[in-house]
Amino acid sequence: MNILVVGGGGREHAIVAAIERSRQDPSIYAVMSKKNPGIAALCEDYLLEKETNVEKVVEYAVSKNIELVVIGPEAPLSVGIADALEAEGISVASPKKKVAQLEFDKAWARNFMRNNNIAGCPVFDVFTDKAAMDAFIDELGNVAIKPSGLTGGKGVKVMGDQLPDVEAAKEYAASLLDMGSVVVEENLVGEEFTLQAFVDGKNLAFMPTVQDHKRAFENDLGPNTGGMGSYNAAGEILPFLTAEDVESSKQIMKDTIKALYKETGQEYKGTLYGQFMITKDGPKVIEFNARFGDPEAMNVLPLLESDYVDVLAAMASGTLDKVDVKFSSKATVCKYAVPAGYPDDPTKDREVTVGDIGDAILFYSSVYEKDGKVYTTGSRAVAVVGVADSIEKAEEIAQNALENLSGDLHYRSDIGKEFLIQRRIDHMNEIRGK
């Protein structure tokens, strides 16, 4: 089978690596804006092209007799590449534009949740008028501000964190109005986690829960990033969650898929990412993404015991209920090495070399290869993943790998450490009144 992966980051490297493990021995192709050496090494052929260039992506897919496509990043989904490929008779295991707006239009997504009585929706409203928006911010008192469109995971700001007070919240919200509508919602208090699922339009196959770390520096300090690393526990449930938390979150995602079809007349086929905040009132939806998270894909895909090509084909054909989707009950810790100065003032075009990383898995992300050498671009560069029977052992494997990367790089060594996880457990015990 000829399979095309659109995208050239760490998430896509993880996707390609999972496809490459298939017993069906597929031929893998890729479209990426820069040459990711990890992806290129696993491909029959690749096209260096802007991933949102619909015409070129479709033309390449047709020329290579592609039978199945996976779209990694959100931007190609937002321009309707899945729709264009399906119009050519090519199966796609990623959602079409109308249902992918669950991610790329936050105002639409919140109104969709409210109109369909989806549980876990925070108090919110959508504004294009500054005076009305300021009044709502005053009314809520503690808010999160979100641009409606795609921001690469860095546009959301919350009070008590990036915004010191109500006036700062108003000022930031006003600065976003030029780009379109602004979502203002209650600032949720709790612990974040990610729940992802394979979806075929009706059926959902869930993956282990993961926690991402957005802050750039140790101890969850510094500016937000695309994600500095993530971990999951051996089994399905993170240490600070309960089985009920996870079941409630799964139900929210099932209800969302059902309501999407009712609202749009289109089935959602692909990976669905739910970012949740577990609060004193149960799980609340921070946002949905219409694809794998990055870095969360790098935690769960190495644990997938089922043949990923079978899963992709089943998502595209609506037969996911016929596939027994299984994950290994191991723990993983993923840590990113990023350019020095990331995210505010990152160095660029610096060489990265990989030494002895032991048992860790390495995924190249925002890098490019030139003359056999790998260079940074200014965004997250290389992810390393430790897989073991416990978070503690997985963390040791990942940390050892990080220390054997060379270059003008920065990383967080605390992700997956016992003290940081215990802080989450203590925080949730406090919130639950234990």
Side-chain angles (χ1 to χ4, degrees), residues 55 154 353 420:
E55 187 179 333
K154 303 183 191 79
T353 56
L420 203 58

Side-chain angles (χ1 to χ4, degrees), residues 308-415:
Y308 189 34
V309 172
D310 288 344
V311 175
L312 291 171
M315 282 194 283
S317 62
T319 56
L320 195 57
D321 54 332
K322 305 288 193 295
V323 177
D324 185 15
V325 179
K326 284 185 177 176
F327 291 86
S328 163
S329 58
K330 299 266 189 184
T332 69
V333 173
C334 174
K335 299 192 186 194
Y336 252 119
V338 304
Y342 174 83
D344 294 334
D345 188 24
T347 58
K348 299 178 182 178
D349 306 311
R350 305 293 175 87
E351 187 182 350
V352 177
T353 56
V354 179
D356 180 4
I357 62 167
D359 295 330
I361 305 166
L362 183 140
F363 295 114
Y364 286 107
S365 189
S366 293
V367 296
Y368 64 95
E369 185 180 7
K370 187 177 178 184
D371 300 328
K373 294 181 178 180
V374 177
Y375 298 90
T376 59
T377 65
S379 193
R380 295 175 298 170
V382 181
V384 291
V385 180
V387 181
D389 292 329
S390 67
I391 298 172
E392 181 184 13
K393 288 178 184 169
E395 188 278 329
E396 289 172 2
I397 294 167
Q399 185 61 31
N400 173 69
L402 273 185
E403 291 170 6
N404 283 283
L405 301 178
S406 301
D408 193 21
L409 299 169
H410 158 71
Y411 57 79
R412 282 183 59 173
S413 61
D414 60 345
I415 294 168

Side-chain angles (χ1 to χ4, degrees), residues 68-82:
L68 182 61
V69 179
V70 190
I71 301 166
E74 58 272 30
L77 296 171
S78 72
V79 297
I81 282 185

